[in-house]
Amino acid sequence: MSGSGGWTLVEVAVALVLLTVGGLALAGSTTHAYGARERALKSALALSAAESWIEAWRAAPWSAGEGFGAAPVAWGSVTGTVEWSVVVLAPCLSEARVRVVAGARAPATANLVTRRFRESVAGC
């Protein structure tokens, strides 16, 4: 402050520059936090859809055949695709590969692989 008790033009300009830089940093971090939240949501939804498909596959009756497919999924405003393939590795062993892509803009992807062994059957 100057000796007369008022603020000088330089002090006001420096204060405005500091406030502007701080405001821009806050706005940038808010935007980054929103984007990170959106990516985390899409990743969680993709993983949930992949795990759900695997649980349904494991709960279904045993099928010795191979196959593949895709299906659309939606969680509110977020849409995606579940893609799967099942491969027979041995007479009593199958492997499933599941890929889920969630979101159109900056999509999140989940890839899971699991195996299923047929128990309590002669020769297995």
Side-chain angles (χ1 to χ4, degrees):
M1 272 195 339
S2 66
S4 63
W7 298 94
T8 66
L9 186 58
V10 173
E11 290 170 332
V12 171
V14 168
L16 285 175
V17 167
L18 290 175
L19 283 173
T20 302
V21 169
L24 290 174
L26 181 62
S29 66
T30 303
T31 303
H32 180 72
Y34 179 77
R37 180 191 156 280
E38 187 176 326
R39 285 188 303 276
L41 175 66
K42 289 178 186 177
S43 294
L45 291 172
L47 186 58
S48 176
E51 288 175 341
S52 179
W53 188 94
I54 287 174
E55 288 175 8
W57 177 67
R58 287 179 172 262
W62 177 265
S63 174
E66 297 185 353
F68 61 92
V73 290
W75 313 271
S77 63
V78 179
T79 59
T81 306
V82 178
E83 302 168 350
W84 68 88
S85 64
V86 177
V87 178
V88 176
L89 300 176
C92 298
L93 181 64
S94 293
E95 179 179 86
R97 294 179 179 270
V98 183
R99 179 176 187 258
V100 180
V101 179
R105 188 178 63 89
T109 305
N111 294 300
L112 296 180
V113 178
T114 186
R115 290 184 175 173
R116 183 177 178 190
F117 184 75
R118 187 174 190 186
E119 299 176 349
S120 305
V121 175
C124 287

